[in-house]
Each structure stands twice: as structure tokens, then as C-alpha cells.
Amino acid sequence: MMMLTKKMIEIRGLLQTVGQSEQLNLPSIVVIGSQSSGKSSVLEAIVGHEFLPKGSNMVTRRPIELTLVNTPDARAEYGEFPALGLGKITDFSQIQRTLTDLNLAVPTEQCVTDEPIQLRIYSPNVPDLSLIDLPGYIQVVGEDQPAELKEKIAELCEKYIQPPNIILAISAADVDLANSTALRASRKVDPRGERTIGVITKMDLVDPDKGLSMLTDKKYPLRLGYVGVVCRVPQSSGVLFARGSGNIQKAVAKNENAFFGAHPLEFGPESYVDVGMKNLRKKLMYVLENTMASSLKTTSEAIQRELAETSYEFKVQYNDRPLSAESYLAESLDAFKHSFKDFCDHFGRQQVREMLKHELDQQVLTLLAQRYWNRPFDDLSQPLPEMDPLADLPKADPENPLWHLKLDASASSLTKLGIGRLATTVVASALQAHIDRLIANSTFAAHPFARKAITEASTSILRELSYDISDELEICIKPYKYRIELEDHEWAKGRENIAQVLKEEQRMCDDAFKNIENEVGGRKKLRDVMAFIDRVRSGQVQIEGSGVVGGAGGFSAALLERGRQAVFLRDRADLIKMRILAVKSKQCASKKNKYYCPEVFLDAVADKLTTTADLFLDAELLSKFYYLFPRELEARLGRNLSQAEIERFAREDPKVRRHLDVVRRKELLEHVLKEMESLRQLEAREKRYNPRA
Ligand code: GDP
């Protein structure tokens, strides 16, 4: 029959993992007593080790839910704090230190809290028991303790000594039983003395006949009786049983035998009183087993109710949809791979080409601005340069080496730009940005761990690939660095494209100009300051310094700055307008006139470069990335994750965590209920065969 307690203790442990509710209260033995009544000594004698916090100051501030698990075949004794995940602790002084720390973590103002510390002890020397140690009752509040401490402890104890719990009321023999706080508290909730065991400690401190009279107390008779003990660890065994080392059970037994053996009349077999830790242990096991057995039915019913509630929640909130951390991860990963596949299908050579061409268009515009449309524009006090190179452009003389040099230098700047690195970086960054977008739109968005894993997967592959690819691409475009031949159709295409690019650029200049107009507060104001700047630039007006600090001509420095930007934009737009006309003119229709039309020439070169780069990047970067990335995902989020990591991942999302909790709670309650049913059957059978048990 001893299996029942063990099983019920297991069930209790299981229920604790899903947050035991008030209704699911499996019976436990609650230990109460005044400070210094010997409560810790009794518990330590049961466990066989010193492990409870000691000290003159009250240190038990939280209930300790102590689960003792008998491990008959094991030799090692160890403790575990399931909530802390510290693993097996074989050194009992470390358990003691941990308990002290946990207690001291409760702020002094709060005095005590009813949040229990769970501690399990596994040993071949302990019975299967579930005990709850509570803070000791105090008589007088210490100077450094809050005034309400006494009441708070009493309230906490009262909460725990409710049915179906068994009360282990500890009183010291050297204090009158009428003054025992433990018995008084117990009497309040168990007036008929049906579920209280009285323990009288320090029997060695009073005359044997006085001790005997306490054990047969008639004022508060207990159905489960009183047990007298002497459980101070003998000092002589101090060396042998130093803190946390050996088991103290034998030393206590020896001491008790010596004392009770010396008084056979009072405590011998004929006296019919219970004495000694051995008897107390037996009694506790017997009483707990019986209480557990009689609570089987009510507990089963409570679990059934809890299960019904959980099943209802599962149905209503989650539509009975099963979920496990593994299935959630697998589904999320599948969906993500799917969206990636979709992206692969839509992001190919054409998209790379558009991106690269746009990038090179911008580079061409910059080059043109530097070499052809150049106007220094830093200092208001500087007059305009004598020559406007743009004005000369239509008059460009193909015979003049200067014009050859200008165009060759521009083309060379373009081909030697480091296209390999630039193009690879542009495409790799675009891929990374797309991956980031896919993550943001996936279930992984709510999972920092997975987000990081995916980002790392893509960045590491892209980094690795980019390194070689940019060098190889640079080699591919090398021929263009020496010689560029254009076909007529390439020229025509370049002419068409650059006209579009210039138009777009003009539109952007106009937009930016309008923005400034709005910012300074009106066209008139901007026109005034621009006119002033023009006068300065043409030398009609002199100003001191650059006008950047302090302003000039009645305009503030800030307004002058905006004016200067506006003048720049106006001039640039004018210039671009002229160049659009030039590009569209007959002169630029033929590639023979390339010196008149550097824009068309450079655009055609950029187009050639793009064609080489997009072909190469499509083959080398895109297809390799598309092949490697799903495999890397699988490696990082698929097969290599441990069960704990998968669980941690899934629980990162609060919605998923709640869903998983409900599923888990339901499964667990079903499991527990099944166990309970088999226990009930076992018990019924036992009763049939052995009706007196
Ligand atoms: P607690 O405050 O109720 O936990 O009490 P302790 O277990 O710490 O015991 C208080 C003091 O009483 C300690 O100094 C113990 O050594 C001593 N003590 C405990 N049990 C006995 C006993 O049976 N006999 C004697 N003589 N002293 C005891």
C-alpha cells in the first residue's frame, strides 16, 4: 500500500508543474511550532541532515514545500529545487545556504510571504512524505522586526493548516502545553483533534513523569496521538556528523534510545505512549497514506472538474487545435521556406538588372556633374567661374584631344569604379533586406531567437559568397577598362534611357526646389534671397566673409543657406533641361558624335557593364544563395535544435505559450486522472482482500 503515497506525491509534483490550483490540493503534512520549539530539529531528524536555515533572527520567511522521495536502490542522497534548475545538490550545507538566500530575498517590510519554496530530497533513508515547513510562531516581536510580523505568521499558518492537510504541531516539553501556540492554533481549525499529530520535543529536559503526562494529555485529546522525541544532535558526534556530511539519523536514534531506555517505566513498551523519531516517522507515513487514500475520490473529482474547464478552454479558445513546440516550429519553418521560394521565383536576373542599372545611372549622373556640368558652389563671396563648360559642349571639337581626354577619363572612372564590389554589395544588401522583410511577415517575427538565427544564416552565406564574387566580377568587366565598342542599337538604347534618367533628375530638382519654397514661407521670399545671391555671385554686390555666419544683405544665415540650395537646384534643373534637349537633338542621334553627347555614351557603357554584372550575379550570387539558404535554415532551426531549445523558442511568443500551456495542462490532467483511477482501483481491491487495512 505504500505505493499510494509515492504515486500521490508524484502526482502532486506533476500538478505543480502546471500551476496547482486551490482546488487541486493533495493532502500534505504541515509543520507548525513556536520559535525554538525544536521544529527544525524534528524535520532534520526525519531527513537525516542539517539543511534548514539557522540563526537567532527569524529566517524562515517562506513556506518550504518539502517532498521526500524514498529511493530504495540508490545510495546517493541529494536535494533538488525544481523551480531553480540547479540540478542535483548532494551537499546539504549548500541546500541550507540556498534556502537561507531564498528566505532573505523576501524584503524585511514584507516579513513573510506565502509563495512556497519547493525542495525535493531523494534518499534511501527517507520515507515518501510531503511536508510543509512554515515560519515559527513568535511571542515577542524583535526590535528590528515589523510590528505586524506576529499576526502575519499566524495568518500564513492558518491558511496552510486547513483540511485536508495533516497538522504536525510541535511543542517543547519544557513549556506548559497550555501555552503551546502550535496546539492552540491547531485546536482552532481541528477542534475534535482528528487530523493533528502532537509532537513533544526536548523530552530530555523534563522529569520523565512530567513528560509522560504530556504525552497522555487529556485537555486536547488527539485521535492521532502525541509522540515524544529527543532530537538534538549530540554534540559529541559533531566531528563525525559535521554540517552536511553524514546522516544524523543514527546519532539521534542512539541518543533517544539512551534516554528513553533509561526510563522504561515511563516510556517502555508497556507504557503505551509513542516515543522516538522512528515511531514518529512511521506514524507520519501511515497517517499520510490513509489521508491520501481517503482523499482519492475528492481529488479525482477536483481533477475532473479542472480537466473539464481546461478542455472547454481548449475548445473555445483554440478550436481543439493540437499544438506542440515541435509542430509549431516545423510549421513555421515550412511556411517561411515557402515564402522564400516564392520570393526566389520573383527575384531573378531582371530584378538584379534593374537595380544595378539604377545604381549605375546615379554613378553616371555624378560623373557628368563632376566632369561636364561642374560649377564650384561653396562660397557666396567667390565670383562665378569665367567659363561655363556646359556652354561649350555643343561646340565640342572632335579633333581637339581635350574632348577625347574628357570622355576617356569619364568612361575610365566608370569602369574603374569597383563595379565588382559595388554590384555585389547592392545585390547582397537587397537580398538581406528581402529576407528581413520575409522574417517580419512570418510567425518568426515574434521570436527573437529565430529572427537572429535566420538573419545570421543569410548574412553569413552572403558574406562568404560576396568575397569571391566581387573579385571574379571585377575580372569579368576587365576588358571594358581598355576598350569599349558600341553598336548602333546600343547607342540608341542609351540615348533613350539617359533622356528618361535626366527627366527624372529634373523632376527631383523641381520637387526639392518646391520643398525649399514651402520651408522658407513663400515664393517671393525665396526669390528675393535668390536674387541677392545671384548679385553676389556675379560680383555686383560685395559681402564680408562667406555669408555663412551672421547672414548678409538683410537675410539671415539660415535663409541665405536655403537660398543658396535653391539657386543650385534652379541652375541644375536648367542645365539638365538643356542637356535633355541636346540628347534629343539630331546631333546625338549618331554614335559618331559621342563627344557632344557624353551622357549617351556613358549610359551605353553603364548598360554594358550592367549586362555583364547581372548575368554573373544571377549565376553566382542568386542561384548559390537560393540553394544554400534553405539548407542553412534547416541546420540552424531544424534538426540541430535540442528539445529544450525548441520549447524555449516556441514559448517566446506569448500567444503560442498560452496555447501550449493549455494543451500541456490538458494532457497532464488526463494523464493524472488515469493514474488516479488506477490507484482507486488498486485501493478498492486492497480493501476487498484486506477489509481492515
Ligand atoms: P526551531 O526554532 O523550532 O526550529 O528550533 P530548533 O530545532 O532550532 O531548536 C531550538 C533549540 O533547541 C536548538 O538549540 C536545539 O539544539 C534545541 N533542541 C531541539 N530539540 C531538542 C531536544 O530534543 N532536546 C534538547 N535538549 N534540545 C533540543
Side-chain angles (χ1 to χ4, degrees), residues 34-41 202 204-205 229-232:
S34 308
Q35 248 186 344
S36 298
S37 59
K39 192 161 64 72
S40 309
S41 304
K202 310 189 188 182
D204 57 326
L205 294 187
V229 296
V230 177
C231 53
R232 189 171 60 124

Side-chain angles (χ1 to χ4, degrees), residues 608-626:
K608 267 184 177 305
L609 292 171
T610 305
T611 307
T612 309
D614 72 34
L615 188 69
F616 186 80
L617 289 175
D618 181 41
E620 291 299 312
L621 187 57
L622 253 51
S623 51
K624 281 187 181 162
F625 181 69
Y626 290 171

Side-chain angles (χ1 to χ4, degrees), residues 33-44 52-55 60 133 136 170 174 200-205 229-233 235 255-256:
S34 308
Q35 248 186 344
S36 298
S37 59
K39 192 161 64 72
S40 309
S41 304
V42 170
L43 281 168
E44 291 180 337
L52 288 167
K54 300 273 156 65
T60 305
D133 182 29
I170 314 266
D174 58 350
I200 312 291
T201 59
K202 310 189 188 182
M203 292 291 283
D204 57 326
L205 294 187
V229 296
V230 177
C231 53
R232 189 171 60 124
V233 183
Q235 289 306 310
N255 199 33
E256 278 191 323

Side-chain angles (χ1 to χ4, degrees), residues 60-196:
T60 305
R61 294 183 182 170
R62 295 170 63 178
I64 302 172
E65 288 203 14
L66 183 62
T67 305
L68 306 184
V69 183
N70 179 253
T71 50
D73 302 325
R75 285 184 58 204
E77 301 177 282
Y78 62 89
E80 255 178 21
F81 291 95
L84 303 188
L86 300 171
K88 296 178 180 178
I89 307 175
T90 47
D91 177 1
F92 280 77
S93 63
Q94 196 193 327
I95 297 181
Q96 190 171 43
R97 276 197 300 277
T98 308
L99 282 175
T100 308
D101 291 346
L102 288 171
N103 268 314
L104 290 177
V106 179
T108 323
E109 321 82 73
Q110 214 183 326
C111 334
V112 289
T113 146
D114 58 2
E115 193 195 328
I117 298 169
Q118 288 166 7
L119 170 62
R120 296 198 188 138
I121 289 174
Y122 299 80
S123 158
N125 308 315
V126 296
D128 287 308
L129 280 181
S130 157
L131 296 153
I132 299 173
D133 182 29
L134 293 172
Y137 292 108
I138 53 169
Q139 309 308 328
V140 253
V141 177
E143 243 175 58
D144 51 348
Q145 290 167 330
E148 69 274 26
L149 182 61
K150 202 173 151 179
E151 285 73 41
K152 277 202 151 181
I153 294 176
E155 271 169 31
L156 178 66
C157 292
E158 186 156 338
K159 191 179 144 193
Y160 271 89
I161 56 179
Q162 300 302 325
N165 286 339
I166 301 147
I167 305 165
L168 194 67
I170 314 266
S171 318
D174 58 350
V175 177
D176 196 352
L177 275 199
N179 291 331
S180 161
T181 323
L183 287 173
R184 228 180 298 140
S186 167
R187 200 169 189 163
K188 243 166 87 182
V189 293
D190 178 28
R192 290 153 57 127
E194 284 171 334
R195 50 184 185 92
T196 303

